[in-house]
Amino acid sequence: VLATAVDVRAVRAVEADLAVLDSFFSQSPVGMAVYDTETRFVQLNAALAAAHGISVAEHLGRKVREVLPGEEGARIEAQIQQVLQTGEPIVDARWAGPADGDAEHGDGVHDHTWSAWYSRLQDASGRVFGVSSTVIDVTERHQAEEQAARARRRLTLLAEASAAIGATLDVR
């Protein structure tokens, strides 16, 4: 007779940990993904899938540039490879491009700006098994930063013009 003893507490702890991770992914309003060492999607949430305009299932097992053809996919794959090779995270990598419509911006395709963070994933023994990413739509923040930069340029130009005009006035 072969008997297997299982510590029920350990099983419940693992189940609880998995439930937390699943909730973390499924309930996050920001895009999240895990890629393997070949830049294939292993896991992602609905928020990131929606930003790409295709389902979660259509991502899984596919390389980034198969899902996102062109420059965007090539750039993201290069960033993932960089993180895999160096172990150094990439913070606030920004890019802009079209995204499918949403409740906030209306139907159709609109330009958005995203900020992404990439971190290498390793197991307890140090074996690298992939990269995680978090992607946030920063369109409004980006637009506000651009408006502030334009206002600063106008203010500088106005100050320079005022100084030049003031220097040429003959005040008696």
Side-chain angles (χ1 to χ4, degrees), residues 48-114:
L48 187 59
H52 293 160
I54 62 174
S55 72
V56 169
E58 291 174 283
H59 284 79
L60 297 177
R62 296 174 66 195
K63 288 184 171 244
V64 171
R65 59 173 186 250
E66 292 172 346
V67 173
L68 302 170
E71 289 181 30
E72 183 179 350
R75 182 189 43 73
I76 292 170
E77 278 198 6
Q79 290 172 328
I80 292 169
Q81 288 295 338
Q82 177 184 335
V83 171
L84 284 167
Q85 292 169 6
T86 67
E88 294 293 321
I90 294 177
V91 176
D92 198 22
R94 290 198 184 186
W95 76 96
D100 287 340
D102 53 36
E104 186 176 337
H105 300 95
D107 292 333
V109 175
H110 303 277
D111 283 337
H112 286 254
T113 303
W114 290 275

Side-chain angles (χ1 to χ4, degrees), residues 77-151:
E77 278 198 6
Q79 290 172 328
I80 292 169
Q81 288 295 338
Q82 177 184 335
V83 171
L84 284 167
Q85 292 169 6
T86 67
E88 294 293 321
I90 294 177
V91 176
D92 198 22
R94 290 198 184 186
W95 76 96
D100 287 340
D102 53 36
E104 186 176 337
H105 300 95
D107 292 333
V109 175
H110 303 277
D111 283 337
H112 286 254
T113 303
W114 290 275
S115 176
W117 286 261
Y118 300 94
S119 300
R120 190 164 75 177
L121 300 172
Q122 298 177 196
D123 64 17
S125 69
R127 182 185 63 86
V128 176
F129 62 89
V131 169
S132 68
S133 70
T134 304
V135 181
I136 300 173
D137 185 334
V138 293
T139 303
E140 291 178 10
R141 179 175 21 153
H142 179 74
Q143 290 169 344
E145 289 169 353
E146 285 185 340
Q147 288 174 347
R150 283 193 298 272

